[in-house]
Amino acid sequence: MVMILGLDVGGANTKAASSDGSFTIIEYLPLWKGAPLEPLLRRLSAEARPEAVGVVMTGELADSFPEKRSGILFIKGAVERSFSCPVRFWGVSGFNWRDLADLAAANWSASAALVAEEVGDCLFVDMGSTTTDLIPIKGGPRAAKTDFLRLARGELIYMGLLRTNLAALLGAVEVDGERVPLSAELFAIAADAHLLLGDIAEGEYAVETPDGGGKDRESAERRLARTVCADPGEIGPEGVEAIARQARARQLELLKGGIRRLAEEHSLNLVAAAGIGEGLIREAARSLGLEVIRLSERYGSAVSEVFPAYAVARLLEVELGGR
């Protein structure tokens, strides 16, 4: 079989998948810190030995770039230098884009195009480490074409399962009968709450910790307590867990609100859930009485977690097969 590789180059993670789903990888690679993208791409080229590569990106928004165009050119150049096979970039209008701006944050578009073909009308919801896409599909994807407009329309929620700052989620928490404002610092992230609650294992804490410390339960407790300017001993294990539970509840509330509004607006009763936050999406959708398809059950968990990379590989396979 022809090996077609899909790449999703994000600001925090670079993901790859083959069109048959047998090869997947997620690599934490923070572009805003100057992480070496090309060495990873060259390694992927040597390991996968693809005959064609499809690419989507969101990393152009990393604040190491002065504007999106610079980021697009950086990513595009790095990919083209790293692979000797044909490389095709997917934009919000597909592979036949005309303006570089079409490539900006187009990974959701590839996912939605494939879901539209293989699932049909639904609300496609993909929750990653940093953001959540909510794409109405009714006779095809109906989302806005830019992140700015998707944010405005509720089709992009800047909240993920791991990297979201708790201070951006919660203005205050209830601890031991007191309503306490959270300190406006990067003391803890959503991954700390999910680790403490058992939603993720230590090995799934696949991002940097805010304090550079450990990814174990004790370290997470310390970070969570610090959000209310305390040590764990001051508020006790119940107080620390209360912070974690309220952070998770807030994420669930945001998901429910976004899903409810878009499902009602587009008269959709089916949610297709993908990403590392698939379980939270399912919980939110079911609480609204909506039917849920977990893409991990259809394609496997590894593919669901890198779905845009898999989708662009599948779409390129169809594109090349039609020639």
Side-chain angles (χ1 to χ4, degrees):
M1 291 184 64
V2 174
M3 197 318 178
I4 296 178
L5 186 69
L7 293 175
D8 179 10
V9 182
N13 297 286
T14 291
K15 304 172 184 178
S18 59
S19 61
D20 66 358
S22 64
F23 177 89
T24 63
I25 188 172
I26 304 176
E27 190 91 10
Y28 179 64
L29 203 73
L31 295 185
W32 70 91
K33 291 189 172 184
L37 177 60
E38 280 194 51
L40 169 63
L41 296 176
R42 291 193 190 110
R43 176 163 62 85
L44 287 173
S45 177
E47 289 179 5
R49 301 176 65 184
E51 296 183 44
V53 178
V55 187
V56 290
M57 66 180 76
T58 60
E60 77 287 336
L61 195 61
D63 57 14
S64 53
F65 305 121
E67 76 288 310
K68 293 180 186 178
R69 182 180 177 85
S70 297
I72 292 168
L73 289 171
F74 174 86
I75 294 168
K76 189 170 181 291
V79 175
E80 290 171 338
R81 287 189 296 271
S82 300
F83 293 89
S84 57
C85 61
V87 175
R88 297 287 302 277
F89 293 84
W90 177 278
V92 290
S93 301
F95 286 120
N96 297 316
W97 52 274
R98 295 186 177 183
D99 189 318
L100 274 177
D102 290 345
L103 301 183
N107 67 345
W108 66 267
S109 174
S111 296
L114 185 64
V115 171
E117 288 290 328
E118 302 200 344
V119 176
D121 291 355
C122 66
L123 181 62
F124 170 65
V125 185
D126 185 353
M127 186 178 193
S129 65
T130 309
T131 60
T132 302
D133 293 313
L134 300 93
I135 311 300
I137 298 173
K138 196 165 187 179
R142 296 207 176 174
K145 300 299 186 184
T146 68
D147 274 0
F148 172 77
L149 290 174
R150 289 198 304 123
L151 275 170
R153 288 166 44 157
E155 296 161 352
L156 171 62
I157 301 176
Y158 224 92
M159 171 197 70
L161 192 74
L162 302 181
R163 294 187 60 239
T164 303
N165 185 348
L166 255 62
L169 274 178
L170 297 165
V173 289
E174 295 283 342
V175 179
D176 196 23
E178 298 284 348
R179 184 165 177 79
V180 186
L182 260 70
S183 53
E185 295 280 359
L186 181 56
F187 281 147
I189 57 178
D192 293 309
H194 290 295
L195 178 66
L196 187 73
L197 297 173
D199 294 336
I200 64 170
E202 290 182 18
E204 295 171 307
Y205 195 128
V207 295
E208 291 175 286
T209 59
D211 60 358
K215 299 179 180 181
D216 55 281
R217 184 183 176 90
E218 183 179 351
S219 297
E221 288 176 343
R222 182 173 63 250
R223 289 189 289 268
L224 288 164
R226 194 162 288 153
T227 65
V228 290
C229 302
D231 290 329
E234 290 181 69
I235 59 175
E238 298 85 1
V240 175
E241 185 173 320
I243 296 170
R245 290 198 178 281
Q246 289 168 79
R248 187 186 191 280
R250 177 58 177 158
Q251 287 194 300
L252 194 61
E253 179 186 355
L254 288 170
L255 278 174
K256 286 171 64 175
I259 291 170
R260 179 191 295 111
R261 191 179 68 78
L262 289 170
E264 289 177 354
E265 180 182 336
H266 296 275
S267 300
L268 297 167
N269 55 22
L270 173 64
V271 171
I276 60 173
E278 199 183 76
L280 206 60
I281 296 165
R282 179 182 63 173
E283 186 177 341
R286 284 186 171 175
S287 72
L288 296 169
L290 298 172
E291 183 183 352
V292 183
I293 292 175
R294 295 184 66 161
L295 296 192
S296 62
E297 294 174 352
R298 177 171 294 209
Y299 302 100
S301 295
V303 167
S304 176
E305 293 177 3
V306 298
F307 199 74
Y310 172 73
V312 76
R314 286 283 309 279
L315 294 166
L316 182 56
E317 183 176 55
V318 172
E319 175 92 352
L320 296 176
R323 294 186 172 184

